Amino acid sequence: MAMMGIMTVNAQQKVESDAQAAINNIMTRTSIRAYTNEPVSNADIETMLRAGMAAPTAVNRQPWHFVAVTDKAKLAELAGSRGGMVKQAGVTIVVCGNLNKALQGPAQAFWIQDCSAATENILLAANALGLGAVWTGCYPIDNRVAEVSKVLKLPENMVPFCVIAVGHPAEQPTPKDKWKPENVSFNEFGGKATFDQNEVQVSAAETLSAEQLKANMEEVQAYLKDCGSFAVATADGTQPRVRIFGVSEIIDGKLYIMTGKVKDVYKQIAKNGKFEICALKKSGFEWMRLSGTLVNDETLSVKEEFLNRNEGLKSMYKADDDNMAVLQITNATARFCSFAAKERKVGF
């Protein structure tokens, strides 16, 4: 019976953890318009396309077609009036409406809603993979539709709905807090909530506000510093790998850890940025589990500041060498645990 109780608690914790990770992914998604030169892997491209095709669709008509563009010359041609972000992208995914598959009559325009849902799924998948993406509009602006159709040689039944630029982010803008209770009615227009609106606003602020995200990050950093060292788990194909790290820093409002590019851990992260950290307090009765995505940051000033705060690393690394890698922790969920208290979660 005791084992059954443990399994039930663990299952509940997994459900809560998965739910929090999904909510954090939605809340931290933001438009990224600058990318590094690192290519987007074929596996990540397929994952995003699968996510797009998992979107809801009226009467399951699936009236969409996706054109993934990785050829640099084609990207430059496709950029047009969209500027450098499309040209610079590792891949663009052009979401098209296939009118041959769309419903007929007045319901035909449902293809627009279907493609919108697919586009948002792709953006969320990109964020979950540690990639940056931005939705650039095409339909219903006639000259944009004609421009993209010409570049991609689309048949008449294919309408380019939008162009999604995707790449490894070279910027990390703070997600906007878009929660506005005045934009919500209950039961009828202007209807008041049947629950405490003040409570909702506080909860939303705790989840979304820049101040709270900053406080959550600082709490995690303080915990890591207090522990002194922490275990970092990554994936080596299907085999998990764990090693000890001892340094983390908040620089320009972002939390980083550091390693060398020659190390296996970096090579694993480059293929799959998903990670988990476990940090144990010296008492042995409290610990923190931190999960998210690690994103390499090549900003020279960040590397220099990291070394300035950790003089001992200067004998092994230089900010301008080809080895030092500072890894930003993104889409993070931290779970504070102990044998004596209920698990508490924060995100940033």
Side-chain angles (χ1 to χ4, degrees):
M1 292 296 291
M3 182 61 69
M4 181 64 72
I6 292 171
M7 291 175 64
T8 302
V9 170
N10 287 344
Q12 180 62 32
Q13 287 178 345
K14 183 181 186 303
V15 169
E16 292 176 357
S17 175
D18 289 348
Q20 187 62 51
I23 294 298
N24 283 346
N25 190 48
I26 294 170
M27 298 304 187
T28 59
R29 189 218 62 79
T30 192
S31 295
I32 303 293
R33 296 176 171 84
Y35 316 106
T36 70
N37 293 326
E38 184 178 353
V40 177
S41 71
N42 291 333
D44 284 350
I45 292 172
E46 181 171 331
T47 295
M48 289 184 285
L49 292 171
R50 285 177 176 270
M53 294 185 198
T57 165
V59 199
N60 197 31
R61 294 304 289 264
Q62 304 175 39
W64 44 49
H65 189 88
F66 305 89
V67 183
V69 181
T70 56
D71 180 80
K72 289 300 182 184
K74 186 70 74 173
L75 286 170
E77 192 179 358
L78 190 61
S81 60
R82 291 172 180 79
M85 54 194 173
V86 171
K87 183 177 180 180
Q88 188 186 34
V91 62
T92 62
I93 298 175
V94 183
V95 181
C96 303
N98 184 345
L99 300 187
N100 288 348
K101 292 183 179 180
L103 294 165
Q104 299 304 303
Q108 185 185 56
F110 280 144
W111 75 264
I112 300 169
Q113 298 179 36
D114 295 348
C115 287
S116 296
T119 300
E120 180 65 5
N121 272 18
I122 292 170
L123 294 172
L124 291 173
N127 190 44
L129 291 167
L131 299 170
V134 61
W135 176 340
T136 69
C138 188
Y139 180 86
I141 308 302
D142 289 340
N143 65 319
R144 293 187 180 183
V145 170
E147 179 185 79
V148 174
S149 295
K150 181 179 179 181
V151 172
L152 300 181
K153 301 178 181 179
L154 298 177
E156 288 187 2
N157 64 296
M158 292 289 178
V159 182
F161 173 70
C162 70
V163 177
I164 307 172
V166 186
H168 292 272
E171 61 177 4
Q172 293 291 338
T174 301
K176 299 178 180 67
D177 181 358
K178 300 178 183 178
W179 167 250
K180 293 182 175 62
E182 63 270 24
N183 289 341
V184 181
S185 298
F186 291 85
N187 299 317
E188 61 182 22
F189 183 78
K192 301 301 182 183
T194 57
F195 48 85
D196 187 351
Q197 278 282 73
N198 290 327
E199 179 181 343
V200 173
Q201 292 178 37
V202 169
S203 176
E206 288 177 351
T207 305
L208 298 177
S209 73
E211 292 79 8
Q212 187 61 52
L213 291 171
K214 179 174 180 288
N216 291 347
M217 182 185 298
E218 290 174 347
E219 180 182 13
V220 169
Q221 166 67 349
Y223 201 103
L224 293 173
K225 290 285 189 183
D226 187 47
C227 291
S229 62
F230 46 92
V232 179
T234 57
D236 182 8
T238 58
Q239 176 65 45
R241 303 291 183 187
V242 181
R243 75 284 298 155
I244 300 298
F245 278 54
V247 182
S248 61
E249 298 290 348
I250 293 177
I251 302 173
D252 296 334
K254 303 167 187 176
L255 180 56
Y256 295 96
I257 60 175
M258 198 219 83
T259 189
K261 293 180 181 178
V262 299
K263 296 183 178 180
D264 288 341
V265 61
Y266 177 80
K267 297 172 185 176
Q268 292 154 17
I269 291 166
K271 291 181 179 179
N272 182 353
K274 296 294 185 182
F275 77 97
E276 185 151 322
I277 283 173
C278 187
L280 180 67
K281 282 287 187 73
K282 294 174 183 178
S283 67
F285 298 103
E286 299 176 63
W287 62 97
M288 177 187 70
R289 296 172 61 193
L290 176 65
S291 60
T293 304
L294 291 168
V295 178
N296 186 41
D297 190 338
E298 292 292 345
T299 306
L300 183 61
S301 61
V302 172
K303 295 182 179 182
E304 290 173 340
E305 181 61 22
F306 204 105
L307 291 177
N308 288 336
R309 296 184 190 182
N310 300 275
E311 292 285 339
L313 294 174
K314 289 185 175 180
S315 62
M316 296 179 284
Y317 299 98
K318 292 183 179 180
D320 59 354
D321 65 21
D322 293 326
N323 183 36
M324 181 179 180
V326 286
L327 304 170
Q328 184 191 349
I329 296 175
T330 67
N331 300 333
T333 299
R335 300 188 291 277
F336 297 95
C337 311
S338 77
F339 290 115
K342 184 178 179 181
E343 178 183 291
R344 180 173 61 86
K345 302 173 191 171
V346 302
F348 61 88

